[in-house]
Amino acid sequence: MIRGRRTAVGLISMVLGAGAAPAQPLCEFTPAADTGPRMPGLIIGAEALLPAGRQPGHGVHVRGNGGIGRVTDFVALRAAYPDAAVLDCRGRAVLSPGFVNAHEHPAYSYAFPDPGLHPGYAHRDEWRLGAGGKAALPIPERYRSAPDNPRTSAVLAAMELRHLLGGATALAGPGGAPGVIRNIGRHERPGDLALYDAEADVRTFPFSFQVVEDLAAECRGGPAHTFAPGEDDDLTFMAYVPHVGEGRPASCAARAEVARYLERVKRRDRRYSLVHGVATDRADYAVMREFDVTLVWSPRSNLALYGETIDLAAALQSGVRMALSTDWSPSGSFNMREEVRCARRVAEASGAGLSAEALWGMATGNGAYALGLEDRFGAIRPGLRADLMLVRHAGGDPYETVLTAEDEDILAMWVDGRALLLSAALDARLSERECVTLPGVAPRVCGVLDDLGLSPGEFADLTRDAVPMNDVRRQAPCEP
C-alpha cells in the first residue's frame, strides 16, 4: 500500500486519542478535540532545526495529509489550531528533518563485509570483476521486495529499520521494502509505483559496467574510446545520481570517467550529482560548483576498498555541495550516524574543519538536493512531507545531539506524518498502529511487523543472519 493513502487515516486515529498513555511521559501530550470528519493534525513543540537555523520553543504543524503546515512560535501555533493534538517537548527535545541517504544499494545491504575485503583496490572493476589480476569480492545475493516471501520481506524491512534507527527517513537506491522508510528510485516496473515514493535516476554506472577494460587502449596512449550513448540519457525530468570516479586518482580509468562526466554536466539539462568521486581533484570541484553538481560522499566505503577518499579540504574550500551516504553494508557504514562518525575522522585526519551543523546539512537538505527532491523532503518547511526525527535533548548544540543520538535518545521517527518509531517515554496515542518492542531496540516499532504479518519472535528468527539493526561492530573499518 502506498504510504500517502494511509497517512490521513492514521492521523485521524491518532488525534482522536486511541490507546493508553504511559504513566509519566517525557513530553506532555494533549489529544485533539473530536472534530468529526475534520483532521486537525498534530503540533510538535521542540527546538526545531530549520533552514534558517535553530529555533528554540518552536512549533511544527503536521497536517492530516502527512505534510508540514505552519512552522512558527509554539504558543502562536496552538492559538491558530486550538483543536489539534499537541506534543509539547520544549526544553527536552530537538526536532529535525530525517536524514536523506542519497546513495545506497538496499537490495544488497543486509550482508556483512566479506572477510577478503581490503583497501588495496585502485578501481571498482578490480573488486567487482577481478580486473588487473586482483581478487574479486563476492557480490551478495540481490534481495527484491516479494510480499509472498517472508524471509526476503523481513530482511529488507530490518535493513530499512536499521537505517531508520540511524536517523534516515529516505533511502535512494534500487531495492527496499514498501511501507517502512521512504524509498527513492526510478519507476521501471509496475511494482515500483508502490515501492518508490519519489523518483531519481540512480543507475549505477554512467558509461559502462567494465570501464577499465573499455579504456585499456586509451590509457596506454591509444585513441580515445567512445562510449555508446546511454539508452536513458534523455531522462531530464529527474536527477542523475551515478557512480563516477570510483577509484584512486592514480587510476587512469577513474580519472577519465570523471572528465567525461563533467563534460556531460555542462549540458545543464538536468540535476546532476556524482557518487563517490574518489578520483576527483580541486579543478573538478571548481567545475562541479559552477555547474551545480553535488558530490555524494561515502567515506567509509571509499577507505575500505581504495584506502583513500576525496580531497576533503579542497572540496570544502571550493564550496562544492556535498551530501553523505552509506553506499552499502558490505563495505560502507551500517547507518547514517556511523557515516557521520567516519566523515569526522576523515576531517580530523586531513585537518579540514567540519562543524556539526555542516555535517547535519550534508545528511539532510544536501541529500535531498542531490536527488532533485528538495521540494519534497529534507527540511522542516511548510509544504514539505513530514519526515521528522524527535531526539531527546538535554542542552548544548542541537545539531550535535541529532548526529550523535543513541537508540535510547530517539523519541520518535515519522515518515509522511506516520510514526514508525516511538519511545516508551512518549504517549502511546501518538501512533495509530500497534507498537512492539524488538530485542535490544529502545524505541518501539509501530505497524511494520503488522504489515508483514509477523510476531517479534518470527521477525527475529527470519533476520538472524542479516546485519543487525543496532549493532555496528562488524561494519567495515574507517581508517583514514
Side-chain angles (χ1 to χ4, degrees), residues 11 63 87 96 103 117 126 132 175 254-255 294 330 370 417 426 434 446:
L11 275 171
R63 302 178 63 228
L87 179 65
S96 169
H103 173 72
L117 176 70
E126 294 182 351
R255 285 294 303 151
T294 302
L426 295 188
E434 180 183 1
C446 304

Side-chain angles (χ1 to χ4, degrees), residues 78-445:
R78 288 206 67 175
Y81 295 97
D83 295 331
V86 178
L87 179 65
D88 185 1
C89 297
R90 290 175 297 165
R92 288 155 287 179
V94 57
L95 185 69
S96 169
F99 297 146
V100 179
N101 190 342
H103 173 72
E104 244 285 4
H105 296 273
Y108 306 97
S109 204
Y110 63 89
F112 291 98
D114 186 85
L117 176 70
H118 63 83
Y121 297 100
H123 189 275
R124 63 170 178 261
D125 285 359
E126 294 182 351
W127 63 263
R128 288 181 56 251
L129 306 173
K134 296 291 181 69
L137 294 173
I139 305 298
E141 178 187 356
R142 177 173 181 156
Y143 275 26
R144 292 182 182 273
S145 177
D148 57 343
N149 186 326
R151 158 74 177 172
T152 298
S153 297
V155 168
L156 289 175
M159 176 274 300
E160 296 206 348
L161 285 170
R162 182 182 89 230
H163 282 288
L164 192 68
L165 281 163
T169 51
L171 198 64
V180 190
I181 208 169
R182 184 182 298 282
N183 287 275
I184 297 101
R186 183 177 157 202
H187 295 157
E188 298 181 89
R189 291 170 289 271
D192 292 343
L193 295 172
L195 174 58
Y196 299 123
D197 304 86
E199 286 194 286
D201 187 356
V202 293
R203 285 174 294 154
T204 309
F205 309 131
F207 301 109
S208 164
F209 275 75
Q210 48 182 30
V211 173
V212 168
E213 180 178 333
D214 291 339
L215 295 178
E218 177 180 325
C219 287
R220 289 195 298 266
H225 178 80
T226 301
F227 289 102
E231 295 179 359
D232 305 313
D233 285 353
D234 60 347
L235 298 178
T236 54
F237 54 89
M238 66 177 77
Y240 191 24
V241 196
H243 294 222
V244 176
E246 190 183 357
R248 298 177 184 174
S251 164
C252 170
R255 285 294 303 151
E257 194 176 60
V258 171
R260 282 171 165 81
Y261 189 72
L262 293 184
E263 282 302 309
R264 175 181 292 189
V265 306
K266 293 176 183 178
R267 302 174 185 174
R268 295 188 186 270
D269 56 345
R270 66 196 295 188
R271 177 72 54 79
Y272 286 96
S273 294
L274 187 158
V275 177
H276 293 307
V278 183
T280 52
D281 61 20
R282 188 179 295 272
D284 299 325
Y285 302 142
V287 175
M288 291 168 68
R289 180 179 180 183
E290 180 181 356
F291 290 91
D292 195 28
V293 180
T294 302
L295 175 60
V296 181
W297 184 37
S298 301
R300 187 184 300 272
S301 190
N302 298 165
L303 293 168
L305 290 166
Y306 311 112
E308 56 187 293
T309 186
I310 63 169
D311 185 343
L312 179 61
L316 293 173
Q317 289 166 8
S318 75
V320 67
R321 181 183 288 102
M322 295 175 61
L324 279 175
S325 69
T326 54
D327 194 14
W328 65 345
S329 60
S331 63
S333 294
F334 284 178
N335 63 53
M336 283 288 280
R337 287 196 176 93
E338 288 300 306
E339 198 68 38
V340 166
R341 289 188 176 97
C342 186
R344 279 185 154 154
R345 291 194 64 186
V346 172
E348 291 167 0
S350 65
L354 265 180
S355 68
E357 185 174 359
L359 282 164
W360 172 85
M362 292 164 65
T364 55
N366 287 7
Y369 193 91
L371 301 170
L373 296 167
E374 69 276 12
D375 61 344
R376 295 282 304 278
F377 44 76
I380 298 176
R381 192 169 71 238
L384 271 60
R385 307 310 298 166
D387 294 357
L388 305 168
M389 71 169 90
L390 185 69
V391 177
R392 191 188 304 264
H393 182 45
D397 184 345
Y399 298 100
E400 188 70 21
T401 293
V402 168
L403 295 177
T404 60
E406 303 290 343
D407 275 14
E408 57 271 17
D409 300 317
I410 298 169
L411 298 178
M413 297 288 299
W414 290 271
V415 176
D416 241 4
R418 173 177 173 245
L420 294 177
L421 297 180
L422 193 64
S423 168
L426 295 188
D427 196 299
R429 290 174 289 181
L430 282 160
S431 174
E432 76 280 9
R433 306 291 299 279
E434 180 183 1
C435 299
V436 299
T437 300
L438 299 181
V441 177
R444 297 165 294 177
V445 176

